[in-house]
Amino acid sequence: MAKAVKLADIAEIMNVSVVTVSKALSGQKGVSEEMREKIKKLADEMGYRLPSSSRTEGKNTGYGIGVLVGDRYLDKYESFYWNMYQEVAQKALSKGCIATLEVLTAENEKNLVVPTLVRENKVDGVIVVGMLGDEYLEMLHRTEMPEVYLDFYSKKHECDSVITDNYFGMYKMTNYLFEMGHTEIAYVGNLLATESITDRYFGYAKALMEHGRHPREDWIIDDRDRVTGRSDAGFTLKLPEQMPTAFVCNCDFAAGQVIKKLEEMGYRIPEDISVVGFDNYIYPGLCDVEITTYEVDIKEMARVAVNNIVKKISGEQLKQKNSTVEGHMVLKQSVKAR
């Protein structure tokens, strides 16, 4: 069976972007008539078949979707982002698309190396999962490959994004601790490491201020290396000398690490200290306490991201540039009333 011709194949020969090819073939504005005719002629010669409206609205678009994840987010354990990629792959398959994962090394990110999937025109669009450096995102944007950011947004690069409700979600988690009688509450997460971690911090800070409290500098605790961004590879979690009664953690992995450290120090969870997380995702065996958390709706986020990248590949304008998917609180064993 002959290999299906993709938009990227036509773009490579014409030396234009995938977006230009998509607009030319779908009748969108922004392409000169001369270029449109050249692209249509080449597409016919190569045997490319433009998806009909029924296919685009249905399940058989046939696009190749790259999924780019920084290796620091995968760590040495099965990670939240690995699970997110699997959901993206399933949603893509349900629309007749194939999602291919590429793990971006720290070295390639630093050296601004174009992803292999993009450089070799193996995909029609890219979903970037987890925040990458500004310079790398700028470089990727210059390739003019259709892209969607998943689980983060960038204030410097205007790109369609899909995120969870980081701010309000952590606001709710912190308020829950106040409702349980806690007033001395620390935050675990490197500020400015990602937009998500920072937005969650501001939700925590708002809840504190509404209860007449203010964030303490010694109660803002790093959960990863400030240079590499990794939470493994020799990173050591350091807890404050004066303990709060509760910790709000930017993710369940960090919450698990906090619980493990506290137990090593002789504290009981939740009898002595309460801990909450975010994501409702943690690999088995990290800690022996089920963590109260804010569950991120990964399935819905993946669905929205795949739908959006397919629309962008097809040349369709998105009505909403940034999509926020709500989650919900999940009460487990790691919090006790005071």
Side-chain angles (χ1 to χ4, degrees):
M1 180 181 294
K3 180 181 176 181
V5 178
K6 297 187 297 184
L7 296 178
D9 299 327
I10 302 171
E12 182 178 19
I13 295 174
M14 293 296 300
N15 195 29
V16 297
S17 70
V18 173
V19 173
T20 298
V21 174
S22 177
K23 287 182 176 180
L25 296 179
S26 58
Q28 299 286 323
K29 297 179 180 179
V31 183
S32 69
E33 285 306 312
E34 180 182 2
M35 178 59 71
R36 190 187 306 277
E37 290 305 314
K38 288 181 179 179
I39 290 173
K40 285 184 175 181
K41 184 175 183 296
L42 178 60
D44 288 339
E45 292 173 353
M46 295 178 68
Y48 176 78
R49 296 183 62 185
L50 181 68
S52 65
S53 59
S54 61
R55 286 180 67 204
T56 301
E57 294 170 2
K59 296 185 176 182
N60 191 22
T61 55
Y63 297 129
I65 300 172
V67 181
L68 187 65
V69 184
D71 64 353
R72 63 181 174 276
Y73 295 121
L74 300 181
D75 287 336
K76 60 183 178 181
Y77 306 108
E78 182 181 357
S79 76
F80 175 78
Y81 282 141
W82 173 250
N83 193 38
M84 185 166 278
Y85 159 68
Q86 291 178 313
E87 290 296 336
V88 168
Q90 290 182 20
K91 297 301 180 184
L93 191 61
S94 72
K95 297 184 73 68
C97 301
I98 298 296
T100 304
L101 175 67
E102 179 167 342
V103 179
L104 178 67
T105 66
E107 182 180 2
N108 282 355
E109 181 179 357
K110 179 181 178 181
N111 294 328
L112 305 181
V113 177
V114 178
T116 301
L117 292 173
V118 175
R119 187 174 64 251
E120 298 183 358
N121 289 306
K122 293 183 177 180
V123 294
D124 300 304
V126 174
I127 296 176
V128 183
V129 182
M131 176 172 266
L132 300 176
D134 287 328
E135 290 185 1
Y136 195 87
L137 292 175
E138 175 63 27
M139 178 278 296
L140 190 62
H141 186 67
R142 287 197 301 267
T143 68
E144 296 190 302
M145 175 71 70
E147 56 184 342
V148 168
Y149 296 163
L150 179 55
D151 201 41
F152 78 101
Y153 64 91
S154 172
K155 60 181 178 292
K156 292 187 178 181
H157 309 289
E158 189 169 331
C159 179
D160 305 289
S161 63
V162 182
I163 61 172
T164 190
D165 198 346
N166 296 297
Y167 175 81
F168 189 63
M170 194 59 88
Y171 171 77
K172 290 181 67 175
M173 297 305 301
T174 309
N175 267 332
Y176 171 68
L177 288 172
F178 277 106
E179 291 169 5
M180 297 296 284
H182 295 274
T183 58
E184 298 179 334
I185 306 170
Y187 182 80
V188 182
N190 291 47
L191 302 190
L192 302 180
T194 70
E195 300 290 355
S196 296
I197 293 175
T198 307
D199 286 349
R200 291 171 192 179
Y201 167 77
F202 284 123
Y204 152 84
K206 180 176 187 290
L208 257 63
M209 288 187 286
E210 287 184 350
H211 288 86
R213 315 291 290 191
H214 293 278
R216 286 176 43 165
E217 187 174 347
D218 61 328
W219 283 359
I220 302 173
I221 301 158
D222 287 353
D223 73 323
R224 64 197 66 198
D225 187 277
R226 294 191 178 189
V227 177
T228 66
R230 299 184 71 99
S231 54
D232 64 345
F235 172 78
T236 301
L237 184 72
K238 295 180 181 179
L239 298 184
E241 291 185 10
Q242 182 181 351
M243 284 292 180
T245 65
F247 288 86
V248 170
C249 304
N250 81 91
C251 65
D252 285 354
F253 181 84
Q257 295 290 75
V258 168
I259 291 173
K260 183 178 179 180
K261 184 74 171 181
L262 287 170
E263 289 179 335
E264 290 174 355
M265 297 170 66
Y267 292 98
R268 299 169 301 161
I269 311 301
E271 290 82 2
D272 299 325
I273 297 178
S274 293
V275 179
V276 300
F278 205 102
D279 292 338
N280 196 26
Y281 183 84
I282 192 168
Y283 74 91
L286 178 61
C287 71
D288 56 0
V289 179
E290 292 188 3
I291 300 169
T292 291
T293 187
Y294 186 83
E295 181 171 324
V296 172
D297 193 342
I298 296 179
K299 292 182 183 293
E300 179 62 12
M301 290 175 68
R303 186 192 70 81
V304 175
V306 170
N307 284 349
N308 286 357
I309 195 65
V310 167
K311 288 178 180 178
K312 292 191 72 173
I313 294 170
S314 302
E316 183 177 339
Q317 289 284 83
L318 298 183
K319 295 180 180 178
Q320 186 173 354
K321 299 285 290 184
N322 300 304
S323 303
T324 301
V325 177
E326 292 186 12
H328 63 276
M329 288 178 55
V330 180
L331 306 182
K332 298 183 184 179
Q333 302 174 345
S334 62
V335 176
K336 184 176 180 180
R338 290 186 64 81

